Amino acid sequence: MELYFLGTGAGMPARHRNVTSIVLNLLPERGTIWLFDCGEGTQHQILRSPVKLSKSEKMFITHLHGDHLFGLPGLLSSRSYQGGDTPFVIYGPKGLKAFVDTSLGLSQVHLDYELVVHEIEEDGVVFEDANFRVEAASLEHRIECFGYRIIEKDLPGKLQLDKLRELGVTAGPLYGRLKQGHTVLLEDGRELKGDQFVGPSIKGRIVTILGDTKPCSNSSLLAADADVLVHEATFGAERADLADAYDHSTTEQAALTAKEAGVKTLIMTHISSRYQGEGAEQLVQEARAHHADSWLAEDFWSYTVPRK
């Protein structure tokens, strides 16, 4: 599980930061990638990255401001040309389907895959299968905006091979049944219970990705005990007045949310173009004064989410 940042800027593209788009690389876990937001130029950023659009499975849109959305029609079209023929699902606020249908319809785009648009009507679970659950909750921004909590479900513990070998049980179909917790009967009459040969379950990871927001209670709820929190930090601490006026957050506010929620690692993104060089380093120091494990994302930067 890896986060890869295609765009980390705020408002409009800049030379050193494109607008928002994040990839959650789940190739080892499910053979696919998920995308979060799709600002203008996202498909161009993908061309400069190791990301394979044909491996994309889902897109989660936080809100319908252009710097999070305007790259979507081009990306959907390019996915067909780049070998994407599996179903693709987009999640986001009300109005997303009208935007997609209108832009693709007027430009007469033909897709070689099934496209599903799921508009979020209320806070709660928006996706769940045997391995992952994704929860969405509304944030405080100028328009309807969501944050997402991605929960990897716990994995079964490792089969304790040494114990089985000591009992003379060799590799074979019995190993699989024991790992699943079943009770098996050996040819010599011995009975082995699976739960006695499987180690403790492996704790799943939690990644929280928020859209644009000022500090609010749902940010903390979504981020509770997360391994990684991706939080906007459009402004430095000295511009708290601007952050409040435009429903954004400062570095300090992002760090305090991470601290209060018990987050392990904070990654700040959606950075105003006014912060470059020493100014960007100052943002990191402001956050680390409240939450030590804080980082400032840059375009084409990645972070591997460790297991606890």
Side-chain angles (χ1 to χ4, degrees):
M1 182 186 288
E2 175 191 62
L3 286 163
Y4 189 90
F5 292 83
L6 292 169
T8 58
M12 60 183 183
R15 289 184 178 181
H16 62 294
R17 292 184 187 275
N18 197 50
V19 283
T20 300
S21 184
I22 303 169
V23 174
L24 182 61
N25 181 352
L26 298 175
L27 290 174
E29 290 79 14
R30 61 192 295 124
T32 62
I33 63 170
W34 293 355
L35 298 104
F36 291 79
D37 283 335
C38 192
E40 178 185 353
T42 292
Q43 63 173 319
H44 295 276
Q45 297 291 88
I46 288 176
L47 292 175
R48 299 171 59 195
S49 78
V51 175
K52 301 297 183 184
L53 189 54
S54 60
K55 296 292 186 180
S56 59
E57 178 190 15
K58 298 180 182 295
M59 169 81 74
F60 297 86
I61 299 294
T62 61
H63 63 296
L64 303 186
H65 276 158
D67 59 324
H68 297 254
L69 183 68
F70 283 170
L72 186 56
L75 181 140
L76 293 176
S77 177
S78 294
R79 187 175 184 266
S80 284
Y81 293 111
Q82 296 184 25
D85 56 7
T86 55
F88 189 72
V89 185
I90 312 174
Y91 304 82
K94 293 184 292 293
L96 177 60
K97 190 175 189 307
F99 175 83
V100 171
D101 289 347
T102 300
S103 58
L104 297 185
L106 290 176
S107 56
Q108 299 185 29
V109 171
H110 173 73
L111 303 181
D112 294 327
Y113 56 88
E114 178 187 4
L115 177 64
V116 178
V117 179
H118 175 78
E119 293 188 338
I120 301 171
E121 298 183 355
E122 59 183 7
D123 294 0
V125 177
V126 296
F127 169 77
E128 185 168 17
D129 66 6
N131 305 113
F132 285 90
R133 183 170 75 253
V134 180
E135 300 171 355
S138 55
L139 304 174
E140 291 193 22
H141 194 46
R142 287 175 289 161
I143 63 174
E144 186 177 41
C145 184
F146 289 97
Y148 296 98
R149 178 179 174 91
I150 303 96
I151 303 164
E152 179 187 35
K153 297 184 179 180
D154 294 351
L155 300 175
K158 294 182 179 180
L159 191 63
Q160 298 175 341
L161 302 178
D162 290 345
K163 290 177 64 174
L164 291 169
R165 293 190 186 108
E166 289 175 3
L167 295 174
V169 182
T170 57
L174 290 181
Y175 274 25
R177 295 184 61 195
L178 288 168
K179 186 173 177 59
Q180 294 172 4
H182 297 306
T183 298
V184 301
L185 186 66
L186 303 181
E187 293 182 356
D188 60 11
R190 287 181 296 168
E191 186 179 82
L192 302 182
K193 296 182 178 179
D195 58 7
Q196 296 177 348
F197 298 93
V198 177
S201 60
I202 302 170
K203 186 68 176 175
R205 292 159 289 186
I206 299 173
V207 174
T208 299
I209 300 175
L210 303 182
D212 293 358
T213 185
K214 61 169 53 178
C216 65
S217 58
N218 274 350
S219 293
S220 297
L221 290 174
L222 287 169
D225 299 320
D227 294 275
V228 182
L229 167 63
V230 180
H231 197 302
E232 70 125 292
T234 308
F235 299 103
E238 85 288 353
R239 305 311 298 264
D241 56 336
L242 273 182
D244 183 67
Y246 291 100
D247 289 345
H248 284 295
S249 295
T250 67
T251 51
E252 287 188 345
Q253 290 167 339
L256 288 171
T257 294
K259 179 180 179 180
E260 293 166 2
V263 169
K264 181 179 178 183
T265 299
L266 167 67
I267 300 176
M268 297 176 291
T269 189
H270 200 268
I271 309 302
S272 169
S273 60
R274 73 187 68 200
Y275 300 105
Q276 301 181 41
E278 292 182 1
E281 181 58 30
Q282 179 62 32
L283 299 182
V284 178
Q285 298 309 316
E286 289 175 359
R288 288 180 178 172
H290 301 280
H291 188 274
D293 194 359
S294 296
W295 303 87
L296 192 70
E298 298 179 356
D299 290 15
F300 309 115
W301 180 75
S302 64
Y303 176 84
T304 299
V305 184
R307 292 197 179 278
K308 296 179 182 178

